[in-house]
Structures are given as C-alpha cells and as structure tokens.
Amino acid sequence: MSKLYFRYGAMNSGKSTALLQVAYNYEERNQQILVAKPAIDTKGDRMVLSRLGVSREVDLLVLPESNLRESFHEVARSRAAQGESPIACLLIDEAQFLSRQQVDEALEIAVLDGIPVLAYGIRTDFLTNGFPGSLRLMEIAHSLEELKTICRCGRKAMFNARKISGAFIFDGDQVAIDGETVTYESLCATCYIREKGNF
C-alpha cells in the first residue's frame, strides 16, 4: 500500500531542497513524478525554489477550490495520451496551504490509486497557529518526519517569525508570502518569546 508522507519543518529547514532531491532520484531511475504546489504560493510563480539555487517548474498549481485527486488524474491522463509512463509519485511543496479536503484527496491518491504522496510544508504560521493543511496532514499522514534547522542562537528552530522592513510583527493575516517587504526568520521557542514579549 502506498502512503501519505508529511515532511515538515520551520522555514529554511530544507523542505524544498529535499523535495527536489526526491524528484531527481525518481527521474534518475526513469520514473515519472508530478510536482504540485498550491497556487496561493506566488513566490517563484510556477516554480519550486530552493535556497541553494536549485529550482524546478511545477506540473500542477492547486487552486483553493480544486479537487486535488481530479486534477492529479487530469495530468496523468494527459501524460498517458502523450505516451508517457504512469506517474510513480506525487510531490507537494508548501502543503500547509492545501485545504483539509485537499489533504483528504491526497490520502485517496495514496491509498486508492496506489501512488505515494510526499507533502512538504511548515506546521504553524508566524503566530504559532496551525495551517489547515498542516493540521490535517498531522492527523492523517501515514508518516511524519521533522526536517530541522537552527535558530540564530544555535538551538533547534521551531517557529517562523514574520518581519516587515526588518522589524518583527505579531499581527496580521495568516498568509503573507515571503518577498521584498515581508520576510521570515526561523526561531527557537526562547528567541521567539523574547521577540514577542510573551506567549
């Protein structure tokens, strides 16, 4: 039986790099993969971007109202019509932005269609609240794996603190894509509480 995997970590823990490495490994063995990401992640447009400078175009942008399983099958049918071999694995970047329903559909792809699904994302937002997609993945994924990174103090980073123009902020919308004015810093619990003032 194929499984749904959730590989999570604070920002800058190498999630996208790990996804790109898995994609490379499958393709090196002449196996077809499908790379997807939620359309809400506008950083890089249709690209999965790694801090190491490696990138790859996604095969499927998942819209908020999309049925992930149906969209997956549309791409699979299109590839089959072009004579390509079946898809061996679905890789999802920024999985925290999936809806709970889309995570359920990812599980169906793994269990009912027999295609392994590897989802990569962060657990919580800059206020330490869980994203709907991440919470559902924590509930139903067959396998959970934490990818680790370090805080500026050297301890394990757990939280993603938001900065605007270089200053930490602790209010605002749950989603603000990393860019020119909004940035994030991965912090341990101690440094996060120091910056926030209280928990």
Side-chain angles (χ1 to χ4, degrees), residues 7-70:
R7 296 177 176 168
Y8 64 90
M11 295 180 82
N12 301 323
S13 60
K15 297 175 299 298
S16 296
T17 303
L19 180 151
L20 293 168
Q21 181 66 51
V22 170
Y24 178 85
N25 290 344
Y26 269 92
E27 291 177 334
E28 186 179 43
R29 289 158 182 80
N30 296 315
Q31 296 191 31
Q32 294 289 321
I33 51 114
L34 191 151
V35 177
K37 79 171 186 174
I40 193 171
D41 177 33
T42 55
K43 185 172 68 177
D45 294 320
R46 293 190 60 92
M47 303 295 287
V48 172
L49 302 174
S50 162
R51 289 181 302 132
L52 297 180
V54 183
S55 63
R56 178 196 182 101
E57 188 169 349
V58 299
D59 304 298
L60 175 63
L61 281 177
V62 183
L63 300 172
E65 66 278 4
S66 294
N67 179 305
L68 179 60
R69 189 172 180 218
E70 288 177 6

Side-chain angles (χ1 to χ4, degrees), residues 99-172:
S99 69
R100 290 178 63 85
Q101 180 63 41
Q102 288 167 336
V103 172
D104 291 348
E105 292 155 3
L107 180 65
E108 291 173 354
I109 291 168
V111 174
L112 301 179
D113 301 325
I115 308 293
V117 178
L118 285 72
Y120 295 80
I122 57 178
R123 284 185 311 168
T124 60
D125 65 16
F126 73 112
L127 296 173
T128 72
N129 298 316
F131 285 97
S134 298
L135 292 173
R136 189 65 177 146
L137 281 159
M138 298 293 279
E139 293 167 346
I140 67 171
H142 294 94
S143 174
L144 302 171
E145 179 184 348
E146 183 179 16
L147 304 177
K148 297 175 180 70
T149 190
I150 59 170
C151 177
R152 61 188 175 197
C153 70
R155 289 187 280 255
K156 183 182 104 171
M158 297 175 52
F159 302 118
N160 308 297
R162 182 181 290 171
K163 290 179 165 181
I164 294 185
S165 302
F168 288 103
I169 63 151
F170 295 93
D171 60 5

Side-chain angles (χ1 to χ4, degrees), residues 163-166 177-183:
K163 290 179 165 181
I164 294 185
S165 302
I177 304 301
D178 197 10
E180 289 181 23
T181 58
V182 175
T183 59

